[in-house]
Amino acid sequence: MNPNMYGPPPTQFQPQPPQQQQYAAPPPGAALGAPGGWPPQQQQPQQQQPSQPPQQQQPQYGAPPTSSAPQTYLNGNYQQQLATSMGGLNMGGAGAGAGVPAPPLKIAQQAPAPTGQAAQPLPPTGFNQFNSNAAPLPPTNNNNSFGAPPPPSANGGAGAYANGPTPVGAPGSAPPPRTITPQSVASGINQMSLNSGHLAGLPHMPPPKSAAPQNAAGAAPPPALGAPGAQPAAGPFGVSTSRPGQPLLPPGAGAPPTFTQAGLPPQSQPGLPPMQQAGLPQQSGLPPMQQPGLPPQPQPGAAFGAPQQQQQQQPGASFGAPQQQQQPGAQFGAPQPGGYPGSYPGGPPPLPGQQPAATPQFGAPQTAGYPGQHQPGAPGYPPQPGQQPAAPGYPPQPGYPPQTGQQSMPGYPPQPGQQPGAPGYPPQPGGYPGQAGQQQRPGFNQPPMPGAGNMYQQAPQRRLDPDQMPNPIQVMIENQRLAGGPFVTNQPGLLPPMVTTKFVVHDQGNSSPRFLRSSLYCIPNTGDLLKTTALPLTLNISPLARTVEGELEPPIVNFGDMGPIRCNRCKAYMSPNMQFVDAGRRFQCLMCKVSSEVHPDYHQHLDHTGQRVDKHERPELLLGTYEFLATKDYCRNNVQPEVPAFIFIIDVSYNTVKSGLVHLLCAQIKNILKHLPVDQGQDKSKVRVGFITYNSTVHFYNIKSNLAQPQMMVVGDVQEMFMPLLDGFLCHPEESAAVIDALMEEIPRMFADTKETETILYPAIQAGLEALKASNAAGKLLVFNSTLPIAEAPGKLKNRDDRKLLGTDKEKTVLTPQVTVYNTLGQECVQQGCSVDLFLFNNAYIDIATIGQVARLTGGEVYKYTYFQADVDGQRLIEDIIKNVSRPIAFDAVMRVRTSAGIRPTEFFGHFFMSNTTDVELASIDATKSISIEIKHDDKLPPEENIYVQVALLYTSCSGQRRLRVLNLALRVTTTIADVFKSCDLDAIMLFFAKQACFKLMEHSPKQVKDNIIHRSAQILACYRKHCTSPTSAGQLILPECLKLLPLYVSCLLKNDAISGGSDMTLDDRSFVIQFVLSMDLNMSVNFLYPRFIPIHNVSAEETELPTPVRCTHEKITEDGAYILENGVHLFIWLGQSLSQNFVQSVFGVQGLQQLALERFNITAETPLARRITDILEQIMHQRTRYMRITWLRQNDKLESVFRHFLIEDRGTDGSASYVDFLCHMHKEIKDLLS
C-alpha cells in the first residue's frame, strides 16, 4: 500500500516529538503492572542504566514485540488512528489495564496468552530487551494482529457500531481464535481512540514466527506489507536489519527478537503497539536502533515523523494514513488497511493482557511519559513526567523536547525546554507543553529514516500527522453518507444528522432538528450522573428556522373560539405526547402526569389501540411542529394586533452624505421594499413602512397615498420625543409607491450640503418606538447610524476607546455598557414589540458595547460597515438589508419552554429580554436567530420513561395574525454514561459553549473563561475515558465517536475573535463579534468556528455543486492554487504566486496576477470558468445570513497575516496552539484529571 498511506509522519507534533514518544507506550511491565502511571523510569534500574541506551532503544525493526502481554485492542479504530497519530498521546482507553500487572488486564480480554507467550509482561530481561539479541520474546499478540489483517469489516473495519468503530474485538467482531477477549469499550461504538498499535510508523512487530501463534488463527500472519514474506533478520540490538526503506518484516517472519529490556515493555506491551511502544519509536521512547550516539536508525514505522516504509505497512497505523480499513469512527481519517490489530472487527484481538496496540496517541509517544502511562516502575519507561529519565536509552521523557536522535542521550536528562511536568507533551510553544519545539517536529525527533525518509520527507518533522487526526471535512462527508436523505422523527431520542448534512425531515411526532436541537438525546437520570459526564444538557431553539424543499411548513390549526387545547395543570399544549383515556373523555399530560377533561367540541372516540380515530387528520396529534391560531386571550389587552411595520431611520449627517450612504439607500429603497416578508398562505406582503431621518434633530415624513408630495415634520426638542403625525406615517408601500419615490428623490437633495457632524441616536430610536406606539403596532426599526452620539441629547456617550485593555482582566470594563439608558430603551421597545436592527457605518469608535444593547434586548442584531464607501460596499449593504427584511420573522413574541417533571430550564443565552425566570420576551425573532437554553435536574428521572420538552412561541405574524408555534421533542433517559456519550450533538454543545462564554466575558477575565472551557472539555473526555473505555494504557487519547471533533472545535472556539480578540482588534470589532455569536443559529456557527476552505483552481466549469472543502490549514495550500476561505463574516480569496496563466486569463481577463487591482476587484471575464467561480461565490453568499465583503489577496501580500489568522488548525499569529499542540495539551489535561 502506498507508504504514504499513513500519511507522513505527523509533522505537527514534532516539536514535541520526543516527548511524545514517551507517552507512547507504557513500559511493558509497567503497563501491566502499575496501575498508575508508570513509575518513573528510574524505577527500573535498567533503564536507567545509561549504558544500554543504545540498544534498548532500538526496537527491532521488524521485531515482533517481545514479550508481552497481549495487547488488548482498543475500541475501534478511532483509537488506532488517533493513536497513531498521537503516538505518544495515547489517549486511549487504556485505563486500568495500563499499568496493570501482567496479570490479565482487567479487561476480560485477557485471553490466554498465545502459546508461548506470556500473558504478562515479560519480566524485564535486562537491557537485552533492547538488545534484541536476546532471544525474541514470544511475539506479543500485538503483532498478531499484525500478522494477518483481519478482513476488513464491511463497515470499514469498525465494528458494526453504528456509531463508531467497534473496538477491535468489539462485539461483532469475532476475536481471533487465540484471542483474548477483545476489550470492548462499553460504548465502543462511540469512541475513537488512538492506539499506538496502529500507528503508522510504529511497526508493530509481528510476533516472531516461532513464537506464539501468529495469527489468531494460528496461521502465520501474512507478511507485513511490504515484506515479501520474509523478515529481515534482526540486527544487533534486535533491530531488524532491514532498514527503513525496507519492507517491514512480515508479521509471520521470524521477527528479529525484540529487544526486551528489562523493564521495557516487550515490544508489544500492552497498549503499545507491538514493539514500538505506542507512538514511540519502537524503543521505548528511543528510536529503535538508534543507540545513543548512533544516528538514529530508521525505525520501522516507528517514528511518526519519519516516513517509514513500514509505516505504510502498518495498516491503520498512522494517523494520517488512510487505512484501508477504516473503521467507522475510528481512524482519524485514515482508512486502515486491514489486518491490523484492532483494525478489524475480525482481527485478532489483542492477547489477553495485551493492550491493543495502541496507536500512538496523537502525537504523543505513548510510552513513557504519559502519566498514566508509566506504570510505576515500569522498567524501561521513561521517567515520569517530571522525573528525569534515568535510563540511558530512554526516550526522552515526556515533556522533554525530543532528543535529537535520542540516541545519544543515554540517560536522557530532561531535555531543555521540557517541562517536566508535561507528561508526554513535548513542550509546546505557546505554553502548551509539547508545543515547543514544534518546529523540530521531524519525525519524532528522529531524523527521518534513511530510506524511509523519502516517503514523507517533510513529515519527519511532525510527530503527529494532522491528516490522521479527526477533521471536520471527513466527519461531514461521512455523516452525509450515513445520515443524508430522509430523517424520520418517529422515535424518542433519535440523534439527528449533523447541521451541515443535507437531509429532509419527515415529521412524525418530534420537531425537526432545524427548529429544536438538543445537546443530548439520551439524558442521565440524575443530576449527579450528568455532572459526572460534564456534558451540558441544552436546547438550541430556532423556532422560525427555514425548512428545505420536501419538508412540510408547520400547519396552522384553528380551534375557533375554543382556543388551543391545554393541560389544566402545567398548561402544556395538545401534542402527540398526550394520552387519551376514559373513552376519549379525558387526556393525560405526559409532562406532569395530570389528566384533564376533553372539551366537548374536541371529543372523539378511541380505536382498539387507544388512539383517537381522527388522529391522522389532526396535526397536533401527529406532528412535532404545528401552529394554533390564538384567541383574544393571547393578545395584548385582549385585542387582535395590527399589521406590523418596518421603519427606516436614516442618519443624514455629513459622514453618511459624503460616503454615499444616503444616496445609495434612497436609490435602492424601492428595490428593498419588493422583498418584504410574505406570511404563510398569503400571496403578497401586508407589512407597512415608515421613514424617519435624523442628525441633531429628528424628521418624520407623511407618505399618505393621497398626498401629491411627502410632508416633513421636524421635532427639535430631542429631550422629550413625541410623535407629531397621527395619520399617514405608516403606509403600505404599494399604495404609497409614488409618494415614497418622491420622498427618496427629495432626501438626498435636502441634506446634500449638510455640515452636521455631531449626531444623536437615542432620540431617533425613541421616535421610531413612539411611532409604533401611536399605531398600536409591533414592528422593526432599521437604524442607519454613522457616529458615536455625542450631541447634547439623551443617550449621549463618551469616547472610551482603549483597545489595549482587550485580552486583559480589565477588558470587561470596555465590553459592558458605559451607561444604562440604552438597556432601558431596549426594555421599553420590548414592551411594545419593537425590535431594533443597527446598521453602523463607523470610521471611528462608535461603542457597540453600549448602543448594541438595544438590538440585543429586542431580538435584533448589529451590522457593521467600517470605512463604508458606497461604490465598494454598496452591494453588500443592499444585499444585507434585503436578506434582513425578507426572512421569516415573528413580532412581539413570548417563548416558554416546558419540560417533564424532574428537569427545568435554568439559563438562557441569546438576544432577548426576560422579566421573570420563565418567559423569554422577543420583540422579534427571525429565521437566522437561535436561543440556547441550559436544562438542569431538580429530581431523579425514571429511567424507563421518556422525557418530554415542549417549546411554545406566542407571536404576531408579519400579516398581523396572533399565533402559537409549538415544538415537541421526546428524549430517552438512561442510567449509563456510555449511552449518554452515544447520543451527543457536538454542534449544539459548541454553540452553547460559545454563547455561554460570550455572556461570561462580561463578568470574568478572558483567561478564566478560556480555562473553564478547556477544563470542562477535558472533564468530558476524561469521564468518557474513565467510564466508557476498557482499561488500556493511559497514554491513549480516546475520543467518543460523537465528540471526536471536540478538541478541534474547542481549539477553534478559544481562538475565535469573540473570546480571544486582543489589542489587534478594535473594541467595536470585538463587541460586534460577541453580539454576532450570541444571536447566531447552528447553520452559521459551524463555519464561524471552523471556516470553510475551498480550493477553486481545480474546479470544472461544468459542475454546479460547491467544491469539497479541505482542512483549514496552510498545509493544504499550494503556490499554484486559488482558495476561498469564509466563515460567514469574512470571505477571502487567496491567489498563489504560481497560479496558472490559463486560470488567471480566463477568470480575471488579465495576463498576470500583478495586473489585478485587488482593492476594488470583481470578476468581469465572460468565460465559463469565470461564471463558475462567480456562481460558487453566489452560492456561498446565499447560504449565509450576511453578504460578506470579498477580500482578494495574492500570496505574500500584506493582508496575508489576516488571512492566516483564519487558518484555524495552524498555530495562531498570537501564539495560540495549533490543533495538534492543543490535542496534546488536552491529552495532558485528561491525564491529570484521571490521575
Side-chain angles (χ1 to χ4, degrees):
M1 40 176 68
N2 133 351
N4 306 311
M5 163 171 216
Y6 293 110
T11 358
Q12 308 227 226
F13 276 93
Q14 299 121 67
Q16 337 164 113
Q19 328 216 243
Q20 323 252 237
Q21 311 196 242
Q22 315 192 218
Y23 306 91
L32 301 172
W38 315 332
Q41 258 51 90
Q42 340 165 33
Q43 314 208 287
Q44 329 249 200
Q46 329 200 300
Q47 325 187 206
Q48 318 206 294
Q49 328 198 230
S51 49
Q52 324 253 112
Q55 308 70 151
Q56 355 193 159
Q57 320 212 212
Q58 14 221 138
Q60 304 47 112
Y61 267 113
T66 34
S67 61
S68 73
Q71 321 217 214
T72 33
Y73 285 103
L74 281 197
N75 345 293
N77 324 45
Y78 227 32
Q79 314 181 207
Q80 331 197 226
Q81 293 224 255
L82 269 170
T84 13
S85 317
M86 300 199 75
L89 286 147
N90 243 214
M91 317 198 117
V100 173
L105 300 182
K106 304 188 154 186
I107 318 159
Q109 6 214 99
Q110 304 234 240
T115 53
Q117 294 198 222
Q120 19 332 33
L122 304 174
T125 46
F127 279 100
N128 305 343
Q129 271 191 194
F130 267 117
N131 311 319
S132 341
N133 304 323
L137 298 179
T140 46
N141 239 137
N142 308 306
N143 296 259
N144 317 301
S145 5
F146 228 165
S153 60
N155 34 16
Y161 282 7
N163 241 332
T166 16
V168 176
S173 42
R178 61 127 57 45
T179 71
I180 310 77
T181 337
Q183 321 203 120
S184 50
V185 179
S187 63
I189 178 160
N190 8 265
Q191 341 195 138
M192 123 194 247
S193 45
L194 310 177
N195 277 307
S196 358
H198 316 95
L199 300 192
L202 298 165
H204 293 119
M205 311 323 265
K209 307 182 145 140
S210 45
Q214 325 264 264
N215 302 235
L225 314 173
Q231 57 184 107
F237 299 119
V239 172
S240 52
T241 47
S242 50
R243 268 337 182 219
Q246 320 190 195
L248 295 185
L249 308 183
T258 10
F259 37 128
T260 49
Q261 290 220 238
L264 290 186
Q267 300 299 172
S268 40
Q269 299 284 251
L272 298 186
M275 252 82 219
Q276 330 202 187
Q277 317 269 249
L280 299 173
Q282 320 172 346
Q283 294 308 217
S284 48
L286 296 184
M289 228 102 201
Q290 330 178 161
Q291 325 247 284
L294 301 185
Q297 327 250 247
Q299 307 166 30
F304 273 120
Q308 296 181 324
Q309 313 235 231
Q310 334 223 275
Q311 302 192 210
Q312 3 191 156
Q313 312 188 162
Q314 319 273 255
S318 64
F319 251 131
Q323 310 201 291
Q324 291 183 303
Q325 257 223 153
Q326 291 210 238
Q327 326 270 212
Q331 334 287 199
F332 278 160
Q336 306 195 208
Y340 285 91
S343 310
Y344 323 87
L351 302 196
Q354 303 178 176
Q355 316 268 201
T359 351
Q361 300 321 203
F362 280 106
Q366 304 200 207
T367 45
Y370 269 72
Q373 229 120 300
H374 320 22
Q375 314 293 308
Y381 278 84
Q384 302 325 177
Q387 316 174 185
Q388 320 280 183
Y394 286 91
Q397 296 330 132
Y400 296 89
Q403 328 285 222
T404 9
Q406 269 40 121
Q407 29 305 280
S408 39
M409 343 246 351
Y412 300 91
Q415 304 316 167
Q418 309 189 195
Q419 328 214 236
Y425 295 99
Q428 330 230 186
Y432 284 107
Q435 284 174 194
Q438 260 355 157
Q439 305 55 329
Q440 326 175 150
R441 308 176 148 188
F444 259 125
N445 307 255
Q446 308 168 168
M449 305 319 204
N454 348 325
M455 277 173 60
Y456 307 108
Q457 251 348 169
Q458 0 31 28
Q461 354 168 130
R462 240 184 202 127
R463 314 181 312 170
L464 294 192
D465 177 359
D467 279 330
Q468 301 292 30
M469 297 187 292
N471 74 75
I473 311 304
Q474 210 175 341
V475 172
M476 290 171 188
I477 291 172
E478 185 68 1
N479 192 262
Q480 180 65 57
R481 187 177 67 77
L482 297 174
F487 174 62
V488 182
T489 67
N490 57 357
Q491 298 173 41
L494 279 182
L495 187 64
M498 287 170 52
V499 176
T500 49
T501 297
K502 292 179 181 168
F503 61 97
V504 176
V505 177
H506 292 190
D507 187 342
Q508 294 191 8
N510 285 295
S511 197
S512 163
R514 301 187 205 286
F515 300 125
L516 182 59
R517 195 177 271 263
S518 174
S519 61
L520 304 178
Y521 283 81
C522 193
I523 302 176
N525 70 323
T526 65
D528 290 342
L529 194 61
L530 180 62
K531 201 168 176 182
T532 301
T533 66
L535 288 162
L537 173 52
T538 74
L539 295 175
N540 193 74
I541 306 167
S542 192
L544 293 183
R546 287 189 168 96
T547 51
V548 301
E549 192 179 346
E551 292 180 358
L552 185 70
E553 277 290 329
I556 300 170
V557 179
N558 186 357
F559 285 127
D561 294 340
M562 177 169 64
I565 310 293
R566 309 178 69 174
C567 167
N568 287 342
R569 179 168 176 228
C570 68
K571 303 298 181 191
Y573 294 90
M574 179 55 66
S575 75
N577 302 322
M578 301 289 189
Q579 289 184 341
F580 287 87
V581 293
D582 190 16
R585 287 187 286 272
R586 301 180 70 79
F587 67 91
Q588 184 184 27
C589 170
L590 288 189
M591 297 226 190
C592 65
K593 306 287 189 269
V594 168
S595 61
S596 308
E597 290 279 343
V598 172
H599 190 287
D601 294 346
Y602 191 64
H603 177 264
Q604 184 55 273
H605 296 291
L606 307 184
D607 63 15
H608 63 285
T609 63
Q611 302 287 335
R612 285 174 54 124
V613 295
D614 64 349
K615 174 177 176 176
H616 292 280
E617 297 157 27
R618 291 199 173 272
E620 74 277 11
L621 301 181
L622 200 61
L623 304 179
T625 308
Y626 43 86
E627 297 197 338
F628 293 125
L629 275 187
T631 55
K632 285 188 296 204
D633 305 336
Y634 293 87
C635 303
R636 277 187 198 277
N637 308 322
N638 292 334
V639 175
Q640 287 287 353
E642 295 291 324
V643 175
F646 282 3
I647 299 177
F648 294 83
I649 302 179
I650 304 168
D651 173 352
V652 289
S653 64
Y654 175 76
N655 280 342
T656 53
V657 173
K658 185 173 108 236
S659 69
L661 172 66
V662 174
H663 289 80
L664 175 74
L665 279 176
C666 293
Q668 293 289 335
I669 282 288
K670 189 169 186 175
N671 179 30
I672 291 167
L673 297 181
K674 291 176 185 166
H675 295 88
L676 294 176
V678 179
D679 200 6
Q680 193 172 336
Q682 314 254 330
D683 53 357
K684 63 181 182 181
S685 178
K686 292 187 174 182
V687 176
R688 295 174 297 167
V689 297
F691 299 91
I692 292 174
T693 57
Y694 69 98
N695 38 39
S696 56
T697 53
V698 179
H699 327 120
F700 293 83
Y701 297 91
N702 183 344
I703 51 170
K704 202 167 181 181
S705 57
N706 58 7
L707 292 175
Q709 276 296 108
Q711 296 172 347
M712 174 179 174
M713 300 197 177
V714 180
V715 176
D717 181 6
V718 294
Q719 302 293 333
E720 293 291 331
M721 184 50 58
F722 65 94
M723 175 65 188
L725 269 172
L726 287 178
D727 187 28
F729 177 73
L730 293 180
C731 297
H732 194 276
E734 277 193 10
E735 296 169 8
S736 300
V739 186
I740 292 174
D741 288 349
L743 175 64
M744 292 304 126
E745 288 173 19
E746 196 58 38
I747 288 175
R749 267 204 296 268
M750 283 192 293
F751 298 101
D753 302 323
T754 182
K755 294 289 181 281
E756 293 261 13
T757 54
E758 291 194 0
T759 63
I760 57 176
L761 176 61
Y762 181 101
I765 296 172
Q766 209 176 14
L769 172 61
E770 293 297 327
L772 290 175
K773 279 184 182 172
S775 308
N776 195 25
K780 177 189 277 196
L781 312 181
L782 291 92
V783 181
F784 299 85
N785 180 56
S786 66
T787 51
L788 187 71
I790 53 172
E792 284 302 326
K796 177 182 176 178
L797 298 178
K798 295 200 286 281
N799 187 335
R800 53 170 186 165
D801 187 12
D802 185 1
R803 64 160 75 176
K804 291 194 295 294
L805 296 178
L806 291 182
T808 69
D809 292 354
K810 294 183 180 173
E811 70 171 21
K812 51 183 175 287
T813 59
V814 288
L815 293 179
T816 49
Q818 57 172 291
V819 292
T820 58
V821 293
Y822 288 93
N823 297 59
T824 310
L825 178 61
Q827 292 172 29
E828 290 173 16
C829 289
V830 173
Q831 303 314 314
Q832 180 58 38
C834 165
S835 174
V836 181
D837 281 350
L838 294 174
F839 292 79
L840 304 177
F841 306 86
N842 60 315
N843 295 339
Y845 180 64
I846 198 169
D847 203 356
I848 291 174
T850 302
I851 64 177
Q853 298 302 316
V854 187
R856 180 179 72 80
L857 291 165
T858 60
E861 62 187 311
V862 175
Y863 294 79
K864 186 164 77 67
Y865 308 84
T866 304
Y867 306 122
F868 178 85
Q869 292 172 271
D871 52 345
V872 177
D873 304 302
Q875 182 190 10
R876 180 162 68 108
L877 170 64
I878 301 305
E879 292 284 352
D880 278 345
I881 299 171
I882 289 172
K883 279 178 182 274
N884 182 303
V885 301
S886 63
R887 60 197 172 190
I889 187 167
F891 296 97
D892 195 13
V894 179
M895 184 175 80
R896 182 174 283 193
V897 180
R898 294 180 174 86
T899 57
S900 295
I903 57 171
R904 63 190 170 83
T906 56
E907 296 217 58
F908 300 77
F909 302 101
H911 278 193
F912 54 79
F913 172 66
M914 292 185 77
S915 54
N916 56 38
T917 57
T918 54
D919 296 333
V920 177
E921 299 176 42
L922 299 145
S924 79
I925 184 168
D926 59 63
T928 64
K929 305 273 193 316
S930 78
I931 292 167
S932 288
I933 297 182
E934 183 165 25
I935 293 179
K936 298 218 166 133
H937 288 70
D938 49 17
D939 200 354
K940 277 192 174 176
L941 304 175
E944 66 284 352
E945 296 184 12
N946 295 327
I947 279 293
Y948 299 96
V949 175
Q950 186 177 82
V951 178
L953 180 78
L954 172 65
Y955 71 98
T956 299
S957 75
C958 58
S959 64
Q961 265 190 341
R962 198 69 176 156
R963 294 193 209 141
L964 274 156
R965 177 166 290 201
V966 181
L967 313 175
N968 297 284
L969 184 64
L971 304 170
R972 289 178 299 126
V973 179
T974 183
T975 54
T976 62
I977 290 178
D979 288 344
V980 180
F981 278 101
K982 287 178 200 172
S983 68
C984 304
D985 190 298
L986 181 57
D987 296 324
I989 291 173
M990 290 312 304
L991 182 55
F992 169 75
F993 280 166
K995 293 192 180 205
Q996 184 186 51
C998 289
F999 259 77
K1000 302 272 191 218
L1001 283 169
M1002 304 303 147
E1003 302 159 24
H1004 304 288
S1005 71
K1007 181 177 187 308
Q1008 289 170 315
V1009 172
K1010 290 193 230 179
D1011 288 350
N1012 184 46
I1013 294 170
I1014 294 174
H1015 181 66
R1016 182 154 191 186
S1017 311
Q1019 282 181 301
I1020 290 170
L1021 298 176
C1023 170
Y1024 181 77
R1025 180 78 176 64
K1026 181 175 178 182
H1027 297 284
C1028 307
T1029 62
S1030 35
T1032 40
S1033 73
Q1036 293 180 302
L1037 173 54
I1038 300 189
L1039 304 175
E1041 176 64 20
C1042 292
L1043 301 180
K1044 62 189 174 191
L1045 295 176
L1046 178 66
L1048 173 59
Y1049 282 174
V1050 167
S1051 161
C1052 295
L1053 177 58
L1054 296 175
K1055 291 182 181 186
N1056 195 282
D1057 288 339
I1059 293 175
S1060 281
S1063 53
D1064 53 338
M1065 314 177 67
T1066 63
L1067 294 184
D1068 287 329
D1069 285 336
R1070 180 75 186 281
S1071 295
F1072 167 75
V1073 182
I1074 288 173
Q1075 288 222 356
F1076 186 76
V1077 170
L1078 284 175
S1079 65
M1080 74 185 175
D1081 64 352
L1082 275 165
N1083 292 324
M1084 184 70 232
S1085 70
V1086 177
N1087 289 123
F1088 185 65
L1089 287 178
Y1090 189 92
R1092 264 198 304 199
F1093 193 39
I1094 303 174
I1096 53 171
H1097 52 277
N1098 49 9
V1099 298
S1100 111
E1102 291 71 49
E1103 294 171 351
T1104 54
E1105 290 291 305
L1106 280 181
T1108 304
V1110 295
R1111 284 185 30 246
C1112 202
T1113 165
H1114 71 278
E1115 295 176 12
K1116 297 295 179 190
I1117 297 179
T1118 58
E1119 291 197 347
D1120 60 350
Y1123 302 85
I1124 292 173
L1125 175 69
E1126 65 93 13
N1127 69 353
V1129 178
H1130 304 282
L1131 189 149
F1132 296 92
I1133 299 180
W1134 183 93
L1135 306 171
Q1137 56 191 19
S1138 308
L1139 189 57
S1140 88
Q1141 197 67 36
N1142 289 343
F1143 184 88
V1144 176
Q1145 177 75 47
S1146 54
V1147 176
F1148 310 124
V1150 295
Q1151 297 303 315
L1153 286 179
Q1154 301 315 313
Q1155 299 175 29
L1156 292 178
L1158 298 180
E1159 300 70 44
R1160 306 190 168 205
F1161 186 67
N1162 51 17
I1163 297 174
T1164 51
E1166 281 299 316
T1167 62
L1169 186 59
R1171 284 193 292 273
R1172 169 75 172 129
I1173 302 297
T1174 304
D1175 182 55
I1176 289 171
L1177 290 170
E1178 285 174 356
Q1179 281 189 56
I1180 291 171
M1181 297 295 188
H1182 179 70
Q1183 293 172 359
R1184 297 286 173 241
T1185 58
R1186 311 262 171 122
Y1187 195 90
M1188 296 169 280
R1189 180 177 191 162
I1190 299 176
T1191 303
W1192 297 82
L1193 69 159
R1194 289 177 287 247
Q1195 186 172 353
N1196 302 326
D1197 278 358
K1198 285 184 296 210
L1199 278 173
E1200 200 169 47
S1201 61
V1202 182
F1203 166 77
R1204 287 188 177 273
H1205 172 68
F1206 293 99
L1207 292 176
I1208 206 81
E1209 287 192 36
D1210 296 341
R1211 189 173 160 122
T1213 44
D1214 55 355
S1216 52
S1218 66
Y1219 174 27
V1220 176
D1221 296 336
F1222 184 75
L1223 204 48
C1224 289
H1225 179 66
M1226 284 293 290
H1227 185 216
K1228 173 178 175 289
E1229 292 278 325
I1230 292 164
K1231 284 194 320 191
D1232 290 348
L1233 288 171
L1234 292 175
S1235 59

